[in-house]
Amino acid sequence: MNEQHTAKAFDVDLQELSRMVAEMGGLAEKQVADAVDALAKRDTTMAQRVTASDNAIDVLQHEIEEKSVLTIARRQPMAVDLREIVGALRLANDLERVGDLAKNIAKRVIALNAEFPPPKLIRGVEHMTDLVLGQLKAVLDAYARRDDAKAMAVWRGDEEIDAVCTSVFRELLTYMMEDPRNITFCIHLMFCAKNIERMGDHATNIAETVHYIVDGAPITERRPKGETEISALTGTNA
Amino acid sequence: MNEQHTAKAFDVDLQELSRMVAEMGGLAEKQVADAVDALAKRDTTMAQRVTASDNAIDVLQHEIEEKSVLTIARRQPMAVDLREIVGALRLANDLERVGDLAKNIAKRVIALNAEFPPPKLIRGVEHMTDLVLGQLKAVLDAYARRDDAKAMAVWRGDEEIDAVCTSVFRELLTYMMEDPRNITFCIHLMFCAKNIERMGDHATNIAETVHYIVDGAPITERRPKGETEISALTGTNA
């Protein structure tokens, strides 16, 4: 009876951890969408709100860390249960970084202020954001269902984001070369694009964590890796 | 007797965790120094070595994570002992990211290939690196001695790195405006400078973790924050 009671309390702990991770995921997705929306709409008020909201994500990360550690100490879980908790710790880490990257984009929107780039230049960044939000949504869904196949699909899908990032860098580079007055906002957009590309890397990390939770073994497959933004910057002055 | 035995085994676990974090710190410092050395010396072979060595840091992070979790489950520590373990987890996280940023610089060195920027442009990045390596060394030392005062000095010292980063960005911007042929390598150097600035942020995080381990409470003081690179990019075309 006592053992059953402990097992039930442990299940409640795990469910609560999963819920906190899902909540954090939802907040991170919203921050990403709002930051790039603020960029596209030149909305510095919205950007201010994004920088102010980042703290809620950081607080959740600390709560997840605390709850994970207390659950391990109290319940001394083994095998799959331990993976659930270690997984929650890793997911919270990646989601915190996604939030941070969104905040950095919002800071650039505020800095751009009056000097906004032409909408057509932002379109590439928006396209990258759509892809990353799709990846984040899919991988958080894979986590909610403990669906390894879906997680692996996200893991394999990062290549497209890298490819769009490379073409965004090429386009911005052309603009900078054409007219030095374009240089500063193009650099801001490059850093924004790079931030979104890194969000994609975190979606990939999250996919690896879901695989680890469900399967218990690291991924052995090699991830398809295309060009990166670094290649867009190479050889253009040759 | 049995209790004493357990306490001793636990001390051994904690010492081993500290040792692993220190080892990881040493590797991360070396990666940073080598990556920027490769940049200054145009040494792509050294840069290749840096990209190849990053995996050793990732492996250590996973080992620290595994050992931390097993130690919590086995010993069910409380208070300061629990903080030691949670601290090790956080430190491993920050050090892994420092390693990642060094690897990214090394990748850019390889991409720059024949198109190397003039040495005087690299000097600012080298100066930033000296400051960051000083911060990393000091904070790892603070960790080794559980020295809160030393950690807090690192925490307050990040401002100087941000200031140098801002001036590096200004200098690079001038070069890009002068001649479009300078644009690509200047962008690479901006990303390198930004990576080093972020290493400084991680040194600050590490300082916060040392404070948390020693003191148990979060820092209440407000951290001095100067200009950032974002300000260097603002208003220059006005």
Side-chain angles (χ1 to χ4, degrees):
Chain A
M1 198 62 197
N2 195 32
E3 211 166 273
Q4 253 183 24
H5 175 77
T6 307
K8 202 171 167 202
F10 180 61
D11 281 346
V12 171
D13 283 342
L14 284 192
Q15 278 162 20
E16 176 61 8
L17 265 178
S18 281
R19 194 204 54 73
M20 288 162 91
V21 170
E23 184 187 345
M24 210 181 156
L27 287 179
E29 283 181 289
K30 186 167 167 19
Q31 289 284 88
V32 175
D34 286 355
V36 178
D37 226 28
L39 176 66
K41 293 183 180 147
R42 310 174 175 214
D43 186 341
T44 49
T45 313
M46 188 189 257
Q48 301 272 15
R49 209 160 50 228
V50 171
T51 61
S53 307
D54 184 53
N55 190 46
I57 295 183
D58 295 350
V59 168
L60 256 173
Q61 188 201 5
H62 272 94
E63 285 174 5
I64 289 169
E65 192 184 69
E66 206 169 300
K67 180 148 188 80
S68 299
V69 165
L70 285 178
T71 306
I72 297 171
R74 259 203 305 252
R75 317 282 182 211
Q76 300 170 265
M78 303 301 277
V80 64
D81 291 332
L82 197 52
R83 291 206 306 273
E84 279 283 343
I85 301 174
V86 172
L89 276 171
R90 289 188 193 163
L91 294 172
N93 236 312
D94 279 301
L95 291 171
E96 187 271 334
R97 285 161 79 175
V98 170
D100 238 30
L101 294 164
K103 181 184 173 185
N104 187 270
I105 292 174
K107 278 189 189 168
R108 290 183 193 281
V109 173
I110 296 163
L112 279 166
N113 202 6
E115 250 197 304
F116 266 90
K120 68 168 255 192
L121 277 188
I122 297 179
R123 229 155 276 153
V125 172
E126 288 184 282
H127 180 40
M128 283 182 75
T129 310
D130 289 342
L131 292 174
V132 157
L133 284 173
Q135 289 278 85
L136 278 175
K137 197 184 168 316
V139 82
L140 288 168
D141 194 54
Y143 172 62
R145 299 159 190 261
R146 305 297 187 270
D147 182 340
D148 187 30
K150 189 161 192 176
M152 291 302 289
V154 170
W155 188 74
R156 291 188 197 98
D158 188 50
E159 216 180 353
E160 194 183 351
I161 297 171
D162 289 349
V164 179
C165 186
T166 306
S167 83
V168 165
F169 264 67
R170 286 220 174 91
E171 193 183 8
L172 292 171
L173 211 47
T174 310
Y175 258 74
M176 294 164 99
M177 303 263 185
E178 272 171 18
D179 187 342
R181 283 173 300 180
N182 298 335
I183 287 180
T184 50
F185 69 69
C186 282
I187 294 174
H188 277 307
L189 287 182
M190 279 184 172
F191 275 101
C192 290
K194 186 72 192 167
N195 285 347
I196 298 164
E197 188 228 68
R198 286 171 53 218
M199 291 172 190
D201 294 339
H202 291 299
T204 307
N205 289 350
I206 292 173
E208 286 179 9
T209 301
V210 173
H211 175 84
Y212 158 81
I213 292 172
V214 178
D215 194 87
I219 300 169
T220 49
E221 192 180 319
R222 272 185 91 87
R223 193 154 68 86
K225 260 285 184 192
E227 280 190 316
T228 70
E229 125 283 334
I230 290 179
S231 66
L233 295 173
T234 305
T236 40
N237 286 339
Chain B
M1 199 61 197
N2 195 32
E3 211 165 89
Q4 253 183 22
H5 174 78
T6 306
K8 201 168 167 204
F10 180 60
D11 282 346
V12 171
D13 283 342
L14 284 192
Q15 277 161 21
E16 176 62 8
L17 265 178
S18 280
R19 195 203 55 73
M20 288 161 92
V21 170
E23 183 186 345
M24 211 180 155
L27 288 179
E29 282 180 289
K30 186 166 166 23
Q31 289 285 88
V32 175
D34 285 356
V36 178
D37 226 27
L39 176 66
K41 294 183 178 147
R42 311 176 175 212
D43 186 341
T44 50
T45 313
M46 188 189 257
Q48 300 273 14
R49 208 161 49 226
V50 171
T51 61
S53 306
D54 183 54
N55 190 46
I57 295 183
D58 295 351
V59 167
L60 256 172
Q61 188 201 5
H62 271 94
E63 285 173 6
I64 289 169
E65 190 184 71
E66 205 169 301
K67 177 143 191 85
S68 299
V69 166
L70 285 179
T71 305
I72 297 171
R74 260 204 304 252
R75 318 280 183 212
Q76 300 169 268
M78 302 301 276
V80 63
D81 291 332
L82 197 52
R83 292 207 306 273
E84 278 283 343
I85 302 174
V86 172
L89 276 171
R90 288 189 193 163
L91 295 172
N93 236 312
D94 279 300
L95 291 170
E96 187 270 334
R97 285 160 80 176
V98 170
D100 238 29
L101 293 165
K103 182 183 171 185
N104 187 270
I105 292 174
K107 277 190 191 169
R108 289 183 194 280
V109 173
I110 297 163
L112 278 166
N113 202 6
E115 250 197 303
F116 265 90
K120 68 168 254 190
L121 277 187
I122 297 179
R123 230 156 273 153
V125 172
E126 287 183 282
H127 180 40
M128 284 183 73
T129 309
D130 290 341
L131 293 174
V132 158
L133 284 174
Q135 290 278 84
L136 279 175
K137 198 184 167 316
V139 82
L140 289 168
D141 194 53
Y143 172 63
R145 298 158 190 263
R146 305 298 187 268
D147 182 340
D148 186 29
K150 189 161 192 176
M152 290 302 289
V154 170
W155 188 74
R156 292 187 197 99
D158 188 50
E159 217 180 352
E160 194 183 351
I161 297 171
D162 289 349
V164 179
C165 187
T166 306
S167 82
V168 165
F169 264 68
R170 285 220 175 91
E171 193 183 8
L172 292 171
L173 211 46
T174 312
Y175 259 74
M176 293 165 99
M177 305 261 184
E178 271 171 20
D179 186 342
R181 282 172 302 180
N182 298 336
I183 288 178
T184 51
F185 69 69
C186 283
I187 294 174
H188 277 306
L189 286 182
M190 280 185 172
F191 275 100
C192 290
K194 186 71 192 167
N195 284 348
I196 297 164
E197 188 229 68
R198 286 171 54 218
M199 290 172 191
D201 294 339
H202 291 298
T204 306
N205 290 350
I206 292 173
E208 287 179 9
T209 301
V210 173
H211 176 84
Y212 159 82
I213 292 172
V214 177
D215 195 87
I219 300 168
T220 49
E221 193 180 321
R222 271 185 91 88
R223 193 153 68 84
K225 260 285 182 192
E227 281 191 315
T228 70
E229 124 283 334
I230 290 179
S231 67
L233 294 173
T234 305
T236 40
N237 287 339

